[in-house]
């Protein structure tokens, strides 16, 4: 059981590093769909470029969801739900933003 948990952790870390994101803490959240499907996701920052007098700099304006497959999806406006594909709505237990 511990060995499976370690393997899952390493696979999530590998996917995070593959996508180029450096997370100080892996926040595994469980998202549930209406039909009972549960997936494990992580939150990553949504950065935009802002023009300043000193040049451009990255500003965090929200959060995105990183699936275990390495796919990034946007949160809906309510801050707790997202679509993985057409008609596949998942909800988090609490509001993120």
């Amino acid at each position: 059981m511990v060995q499976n948990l370690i393997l899952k952790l390493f696979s999530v870390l590998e996917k995070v590093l593959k996508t180029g994101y450096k997370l100080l803490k892996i926040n595994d959240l469980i998202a549930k769909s209406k039909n009972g499907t549960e997936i494990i996701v992580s939150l990553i920052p949504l950065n935009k470029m802002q023009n300043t007098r000193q040049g451009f700099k990255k500003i965090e304006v929200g959060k995105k969801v990183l699936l275990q497959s390495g796919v990034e999806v946007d949160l809906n406006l309510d801050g707790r739900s997202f679509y993985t594909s057409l008609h596949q709505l998942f909800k988090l237990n609490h509001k993120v933003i």
Side-chain angles (χ1 to χ4, degrees):
M1 184 169 161
V2 174
Q3 191 175 25
N4 289 339
L5 184 62
I6 292 172
L7 289 175
K8 284 183 183 180
L9 180 62
F10 280 128
S11 68
V12 169
L13 284 173
E14 181 183 32
K15 290 174 185 171
V16 168
L17 292 175
K18 192 182 293 183
T19 58
Y21 290 102
K22 295 179 182 175
L23 298 177
L24 298 175
K25 179 180 173 185
I26 302 286
N27 47 359
D28 288 334
L29 302 171
I30 297 175
K32 297 179 184 178
S33 70
K34 193 89 167 172
N35 64 3
T37 305
E38 293 183 351
I39 58 173
I40 299 175
V41 297
S42 295
L43 296 176
I44 58 174
L46 173 61
N47 294 323
K48 299 284 183 176
M49 296 299 286
Q50 182 178 17
N51 191 5
T52 64
R53 290 182 182 171
Q54 291 80 26
F56 287 97
K57 64 179 186 177
K58 289 184 178 181
I59 302 294
E60 182 177 337
V61 295
K63 299 285 184 188
K64 289 177 94 173
V65 177
L66 178 66
L67 305 177
Q68 281 186 333
S69 62
V71 177
E72 300 173 9
V73 294
D74 295 326
L75 281 171
N76 291 336
L77 291 176
D78 63 359
R80 64 180 285 187
S81 62
F82 58 93
Y83 284 94
T84 56
S85 63
L86 188 64
H87 303 299
Q88 289 292 319
L89 177 69
F90 285 87
K91 289 185 179 182
L92 299 169
N93 289 335
H94 61 282
K95 190 173 181 179
V96 176
I97 299 174

